Amino acid sequence: MKNALPETGGFFARNREMHPPAYTPGYKTSVLRAPQRALISLEGTKSEITGPVFGHNIIGEFDNDLIVNYAKPGEMAIGQRIMVHGRVLDERGVGVAGALVEFWQANAGGRYRHKKETYLAAIDPNFGGFGRCITDENGNYAFRTIKPGAYPWPNGVNDWRPAHIHFSIFGHGFAQRLITQMYFEGDPMIAICPIVKTIPDEEAIKRLIAPLDMSNTVPMDMRAYKFDIVLRGRRSTFFENRKEGN
Amino acid sequence: MVQPLNYLKESASQTAGPYVHIGCTPNFTGITGVYDKDLGSGPMATEKTRGERITIKGRVIDGSGTPLRDAMIEIWQADADGFYNSPSETRGKADPNFFGWGRCPADMVTGEFYFETIKPGTVPFNDGRPMAPHVTLWIVARGINIGLQTRMYFSDEEEANAKDPVLTRIEHRVRVPTLIGQRDGDIVTFDIHLQGEHETIFFDI
Ligand SMILES: [Fe+2]
């Protein structure tokens, strides 16, 4: 990145047919929270093509290790040890360097450490359930955690979330801001989840399912799951500084 | 046959859910000892920041008139001279004492969010015309499937707002006030309505 010119192009138009619409009655909470009027189209201006960039100095030594970052000294979180790794890319296939990635999840029993969480599964005293990292110059990231459990939630009378990890990603522009969730290969709960089903495109759902990655699995230690995240692409700026007619 | 374009597709958005605080503002939800402070919390302006001090406050309100108490709001804005603190800012150097980004969870009782910041300067539109001072906001919450992008302009900038290239092209003029924060002294109030008569304008950027 050091020798690269600053990126000043606008972003590819967002393909909203791959994203969940605002109003998805199968996910009841969306009903009163969905804007009902059409979005107003706005070509990206300086206000959207710029965005905050976070330095590596905000990242603590154990921020990407959920097995120990909340645990008492010498102790560890309970659960199946896994590494989640992959790349943050944009739609051009270019790795997004220096992207802040934040993640949070339930513990191995499906319980979150949150004031408002009431599920009867046990709290793990050694598991906080969150971490963060910044991608390297090629867009790579990795963290260590335990595999989260499925959990029930109040929507339908018997709705359960598949095992998942929440992700918040900053790209290089505020218009790339994205929150999504990662699911695990082979989980039968994915197909019946009302939140997964808010996504209208079958292929887009598949792109949120991380495959088991035996090649990066550490023998006798932890399995690996590979999860790539794609942010909006950015136009080249070859012709964008010409202002004929203005 | 033609060459394939080979573009990737953006990952689909999923709701931030009810526990977004755990990942983004853990100290706010009482999980201390991992991060020194929540990213984006506290005043955005320090003593050295140039510009006029303001506090932006508001609520995100659902279709029943109830404020969301589990939303998270992020703000992104220019400095007092209209420069963004970003590598993609090529017009000049932003105030080194102003990061320009903040994050605030809605209060778990009142639903209120607030940002202690400065009033931004003027930023040019893509054709060079000035845009009136504004901040960009991004709203996520349980029940919001994809983050909502909007802008807040300032009620004390009537003249600039009347010429703003974004505001002037909004067809339904009655909706324009949904993008104007109401200034009273140092306080600018901006309630965001997800539905109803006063539904805020959200942008597809
Ligand atoms: Fe969750």
Side-chain angles (χ1 to χ4, degrees), chain B residues 60-82:
Chain B
V60 183
I61 298 166
D62 75 13
S64 77
T66 308
L68 273 57
R69 293 170 301 169
D70 52 11
M72 184 176 84
I73 297 90
E74 291 183 1
I75 186 174
W76 173 240
Q77 67 166 93
D79 71 7
D81 297 316

Side-chain angles (χ1 to χ4, degrees), chain A residues 160-177:
Chain A
W160 292 70
R161 296 300 327 279
H164 63 277
I165 300 177
H166 298 263
F167 280 77
S168 160
I169 310 103
F170 288 81
H172 293 165
F174 206 53
Q176 284 178 305
R177 198 75 183 82

Side-chain angles (χ1 to χ4, degrees), chain A:
Chain A
M1 280 301 286
K2 283 197 186 81
N3 297 318
L5 291 168
E7 297 181 293
T8 54
F11 291 102
F12 293 4
R14 192 165 236 165
N15 180 354
R16 294 203 173 247
E17 305 199 336
M18 295 179 323
H19 288 287
Y23 178 74
T24 49
Y27 174 24
K28 292 180 182 176
T29 311
S30 75
V31 171
L32 280 174
R33 296 183 171 196
Q36 295 171 326
R37 309 202 188 187
L39 301 175
I40 304 264
S41 301
L42 172 62
E43 66 194 86
T45 72
K46 274 282 175 206
S47 302
E48 293 83 25
I49 65 166
T50 57
V53 172
F54 300 90
H56 289 267
N57 59 319
I58 68 161
I59 304 292
E61 190 183 352
F62 299 108
D63 282 7
N64 70 343
D65 191 346
L66 282 65
I67 291 178
V68 301
N69 71 3
Y70 189 80
K72 294 178 199 75
E75 299 189 13
M76 288 187 286
I78 289 171
Q80 300 177 30
R81 298 160 60 83
I82 59 171
M83 169 173 66
V84 177
H85 75 110
R87 288 178 82 194
V88 178
L89 305 149
D90 75 12
E91 287 170 306
R92 296 170 299 181
V94 176
V96 182
L100 175 65
V101 183
E102 298 165 291
F103 22 86
W104 63 100
Q105 63 169 89
N107 71 20
R111 175 81 185 252
Y112 282 97
R113 182 175 288 281
H114 193 277
K115 288 172 188 165
K116 291 188 181 172
E117 157 73 295
T118 54
Y119 181 36
L120 51 80
I123 290 259
D124 178 348
N126 288 312
F127 189 65
F130 61 95
R132 60 187 174 186
C133 58
I134 290 182
T135 58
D136 72 11
E137 66 273 19
N138 298 312
N140 294 300
Y141 75 93
F143 62 97
R144 193 167 80 148
T145 186
I146 53 89
K147 192 173 177 198
Y151 60 84
W153 60 297
N155 186 60
V157 289
N158 189 23
D159 280 338
W160 292 70
R161 296 300 327 279
H164 63 277
I165 300 177
H166 298 263
F167 280 77
S168 160
I169 310 103
F170 288 81
H172 293 165
F174 206 53
Q176 284 178 305
R177 198 75 183 82
L178 183 71
I179 280 185
T180 188
Q181 301 183 25
M182 176 196 115
Y183 304 98
F184 292 84
E185 177 183 7
D187 187 343
M189 307 303 290
I190 296 170
I192 55 173
C193 172
I195 288 179
V196 172
K197 287 198 279 191
T198 63
I199 301 172
D201 183 304
E202 202 60 39
E203 294 301 313
I205 292 173
K206 286 185 194 159
R207 290 194 294 271
L208 297 185
I209 304 173
L212 174 67
D213 175 5
M214 284 305 290
S215 300
N216 271 293
T217 285
V218 184
M220 308 304 287
D221 182 347
M222 58 184 159
R223 290 178 300 159
Y225 282 87
K226 186 164 187 291
F227 186 56
D228 289 342
I229 300 161
V230 180
L231 303 179
R232 296 169 66 181
R234 188 158 217 169
R235 290 197 299 274
S236 64
T237 48
F238 302 129
F239 292 96
E240 294 210 6
N241 294 322
R242 298 193 181 174
K243 286 196 190 138
E244 296 98 326
N246 289 311

Side-chain angles (χ1 to χ4, degrees), chain B:
Chain B
M1 286 290 284
V2 297
Q3 293 183 7
L5 276 168
N6 282 337
Y7 289 131
L8 303 176
K9 290 182 166 142
E10 188 188 12
S11 300
S13 173
Q14 290 269 260
T15 180
Y19 306 128
V20 62
H21 310 110
I22 296 176
C24 295
T25 60
N27 292 287
F28 170 78
T29 189
I31 315 176
T32 55
V34 180
Y35 300 160
D36 290 343
K37 71 183 271 276
D38 290 335
L39 203 61
S41 65
M44 291 166 65
T46 69
E47 280 153 43
K48 292 183 192 158
T49 307
R50 295 194 299 270
E52 191 187 347
R53 266 61 182 167
I54 55 167
T55 297
I56 298 169
K57 70 179 183 70
R59 297 165 301 164
V60 183
I61 298 166
D62 75 13
S64 77
T66 308
L68 273 57
R69 293 170 301 169
D70 52 11
M72 184 176 84
I73 297 90
E74 291 183 1
I75 186 174
W76 173 240
Q77 67 166 93
D79 71 7
D81 297 316
F83 294 118
Y84 284 97
N85 197 333
S86 161
S88 298
E89 175 59 88
T90 49
R91 298 166 300 142
K93 181 117 183 63
D95 183 347
N97 297 303
F98 188 63
F99 189 53
W101 174 82
R103 173 188 271 172
C104 187
D107 185 273
M108 285 191 191
V109 177
T110 64
E112 201 158 86
F113 65 82
Y114 66 96
F115 296 100
E116 294 169 78
T117 184
I118 51 130
K119 187 168 171 186
T122 300
V123 177
F125 191 59
N126 296 344
D127 63 8
R129 284 180 292 161
M131 293 193 281
H134 64 273
V135 302
T136 297
L137 296 153
W138 185 72
I139 301 118
V140 292
R142 176 174 67 101
I144 294 178
N145 288 326
I146 180 165
L148 299 169
Q149 302 261 14
T150 190
R151 281 184 175 193
M152 185 199 84
Y153 290 82
F154 293 84
S155 64
D156 58 343
E157 292 283 350
E158 239 169 278
E159 209 173 305
N161 292 344
K163 286 188 251 168
D164 180 83
V166 175
L167 292 180
T168 50
R169 71 160 132 172
I170 291 165
E171 179 188 353
H172 299 102
R173 304 308 299 164
V174 299
R175 300 194 66 199
V176 171
T178 70
L179 295 179
I180 316 275
Q182 293 304 315
R183 181 153 185 185
D184 183 7
D186 305 336
I187 308 285
V188 186
T189 303
F190 188 63
D191 282 343
I192 295 159
H193 295 265
L194 299 178
Q195 297 179 351
E197 198 188 340
H198 303 293
E199 181 177 316
T200 300
I201 288 176
F202 298 105
F203 292 102
D204 188 10
I205 289 165

